[in-house]
PDB file of all heavy atoms in Angstrom:
ATOM      1  N   PRO B 302       9.730 -28.526  13.467  1.00 41.00           N
ATOM      2  CA  PRO B 302       8.450 -27.823  13.635  1.00 41.00           C
ATOM      3  C   PRO B 302       8.540 -26.392  13.113  1.00 41.00           C
ATOM      4  O   PRO B 302       9.553 -25.729  13.289  1.00 41.00           O
ATOM      5  CB  PRO B 302       8.199 -27.853  15.138  1.00 41.00           C
ATOM      6  CG  PRO B 302       9.500 -28.199  15.760  1.00 41.00           C
ATOM      7  CD  PRO B 302      10.297 -28.945  14.741  1.00 41.00           C
ATOM      8  N   LEU B 303       7.470 -25.927  12.457  1.00 42.00           N
ATOM      9  CA  LEU B 303       7.461 -24.596  11.871  1.00 42.00           C
ATOM     10  C   LEU B 303       7.249 -23.508  12.909  1.00 42.00           C
ATOM     11  O   LEU B 303       7.665 -22.388  12.732  1.00 42.00           O
ATOM     12  CB  LEU B 303       6.377 -24.498  10.800  1.00 42.00           C
ATOM     13  CG  LEU B 303       6.633 -25.355   9.568  1.00 42.00           C
ATOM     14  CD1 LEU B 303       5.450 -25.270   8.629  1.00 42.00           C
ATOM     15  CD2 LEU B 303       7.886 -24.894   8.860  1.00 42.00           C
ATOM     16  N   SER B 304       6.565 -23.808  13.961  1.00 42.00           N
ATOM     17  CA  SER B 304       6.339 -22.802  14.991  1.00 42.00           C
ATOM     18  C   SER B 304       6.237 -23.475  16.337  1.00 42.00           C
ATOM     19  O   SER B 304       5.938 -24.654  16.431  1.00 42.00           O
ATOM     20  CB  SER B 304       5.062 -22.013  14.704  1.00 42.00           C
ATOM     21  OG  SER B 304       3.950 -22.868  14.775  1.00 42.00           O
ATOM     22  N   ARG B 305       6.489 -22.706  17.381  1.00 45.00           N
ATOM     23  CA  ARG B 305       6.440 -23.248  18.732  1.00 45.00           C
ATOM     24  C   ARG B 305       5.041 -23.176  19.308  1.00 45.00           C
ATOM     25  O   ARG B 305       4.746 -23.781  20.298  1.00 45.00           O
ATOM     26  CB  ARG B 305       7.392 -22.450  19.617  1.00 45.00           C
ATOM     27  CG  ARG B 305       8.832 -22.614  19.218  1.00 45.00           C
ATOM     28  CD  ARG B 305       9.747 -21.914  20.205  1.00 45.00           C
ATOM     29  NE  ARG B 305      11.076 -21.824  19.639  1.00 45.00           N
ATOM     30  CZ  ARG B 305      11.725 -20.709  19.432  1.00 45.00           C
ATOM     31  NH1 ARG B 305      11.181 -19.569  19.748  1.00 45.00           N
ATOM     32  NH2 ARG B 305      12.922 -20.713  18.906  1.00 45.00           N
ATOM     33  N   ARG B 306       4.187 -22.399  18.701  1.00 48.00           N
ATOM     34  CA  ARG B 306       2.845 -22.237  19.237  1.00 48.00           C
ATOM     35  C   ARG B 306       1.847 -22.356  18.098  1.00 48.00           C
ATOM     36  O   ARG B 306       2.154 -22.084  16.953  1.00 48.00           O
ATOM     37  CB  ARG B 306       2.711 -20.890  19.927  1.00 48.00           C
ATOM     38  CG  ARG B 306       3.238 -19.777  19.105  1.00 48.00           C
ATOM     39  CD  ARG B 306       3.472 -18.522  19.863  1.00 48.00           C
ATOM     40  NE  ARG B 306       4.158 -17.611  18.922  1.00 48.00           N
ATOM     41  CZ  ARG B 306       4.781 -16.548  19.263  1.00 48.00           C
ATOM     42  NH1 ARG B 306       4.831 -16.194  20.511  1.00 48.00           N
ATOM     43  NH2 ARG B 306       5.373 -15.791  18.378  1.00 48.00           N
ATOM     44  N   GLY B 307       0.658 -22.738  18.417  1.00 50.00           N
ATOM     45  CA  GLY B 307      -0.372 -22.919  17.402  1.00 50.00           C
ATOM     46  C   GLY B 307      -0.965 -21.597  16.966  1.00 50.00           C
ATOM     47  O   GLY B 307      -0.871 -20.598  17.670  1.00 50.00           O
ATOM     48  N   LEU B 355      -0.766 -16.050  13.661  1.00 92.00           N
ATOM     49  CA  LEU B 355      -0.409 -17.097  12.705  1.00 92.00           C
ATOM     50  C   LEU B 355       0.299 -18.274  13.367  1.00 92.00           C
ATOM     51  O   LEU B 355       0.433 -19.332  12.754  1.00 92.00           O
ATOM     52  CB  LEU B 355       0.492 -16.522  11.610  1.00 92.00           C
ATOM     53  CG  LEU B 355      -0.164 -15.545  10.640  1.00 92.00           C
ATOM     54  CD1 LEU B 355       0.886 -14.925   9.722  1.00 92.00           C
ATOM     55  CD2 LEU B 355      -1.240 -16.246   9.813  1.00 92.00           C
ATOM     56  N   GLY B 356       0.760 -18.075  14.608  1.00 91.00           N
ATOM     57  CA  GLY B 356       1.542 -19.111  15.276  1.00 91.00           C
ATOM     58  C   GLY B 356       2.962 -19.157  14.745  1.00 91.00           C
ATOM     59  O   GLY B 356       3.593 -20.212  14.718  1.00 91.00           O
ATOM     60  N   ALA B 357       3.476 -18.017  14.313  1.00 91.00           N
ATOM     61  CA  ALA B 357       4.808 -17.943  13.706  1.00 91.00           C
ATOM     62  C   ALA B 357       5.847 -17.498  14.723  1.00 91.00           C
ATOM     63  O   ALA B 357       5.521 -16.862  15.723  1.00 91.00           O
ATOM     64  CB  ALA B 357       4.785 -16.963  12.538  1.00 91.00           C
ATOM     65  N   THR B 358       7.103 -17.842  14.447  1.00 90.00           N
ATOM     66  CA  THR B 358       8.194 -17.453  15.336  1.00 90.00           C
ATOM     67  C   THR B 358       8.905 -16.195  14.864  1.00 90.00           C
ATOM     68  O   THR B 358       9.525 -15.505  15.657  1.00 90.00           O
ATOM     69  CB  THR B 358       9.231 -18.594  15.442  1.00 90.00           C
ATOM     70  OG1 THR B 358       9.659 -18.939  14.129  1.00 90.00           O
ATOM     71  CG2 THR B 358       8.628 -19.803  16.133  1.00 90.00           C
ATOM     72  N   ASN B 362       8.810 -17.047   8.818  1.00 90.00           N
ATOM     73  CA  ASN B 362       7.876 -18.108   9.200  1.00 90.00           C
ATOM     74  C   ASN B 362       6.427 -17.635   9.039  1.00 90.00           C
ATOM     75  O   ASN B 362       5.561 -18.376   8.581  1.00 90.00           O
ATOM     76  CB  ASN B 362       8.159 -18.530  10.642  1.00 90.00           C
ATOM     77  CG  ASN B 362       7.373 -19.760  11.077  1.00 90.00           C
ATOM     78  OD1 ASN B 362       6.996 -19.871  12.236  1.00 90.00           O
ATOM     79  ND2 ASN B 362       7.111 -20.676  10.169  1.00 90.00           N
ATOM     80  N   LEU B 366       3.661 -19.385   6.600  1.00 88.00           N
ATOM     81  CA  LEU B 366       2.385 -19.875   7.116  1.00 88.00           C
ATOM     82  C   LEU B 366       1.206 -19.150   6.453  1.00 88.00           C
ATOM     83  O   LEU B 366       0.178 -19.769   6.156  1.00 88.00           O
ATOM     84  CB  LEU B 366       2.327 -19.707   8.631  1.00 88.00           C
ATOM     85  CG  LEU B 366       3.324 -20.577   9.422  1.00 88.00           C
ATOM     86  CD1 LEU B 366       3.309 -20.212  10.897  1.00 88.00           C
ATOM     87  CD2 LEU B 366       3.030 -22.043   9.231  1.00 88.00           C
TER      88      LEU B 366
END
Side-chain angles (χ1 to χ4, degrees):
L303 293 175
S304 64
R305 295 186 193 121
R306 48 196 173 196
L355 291 173
T358 55
N362 188 213
L366 294 173

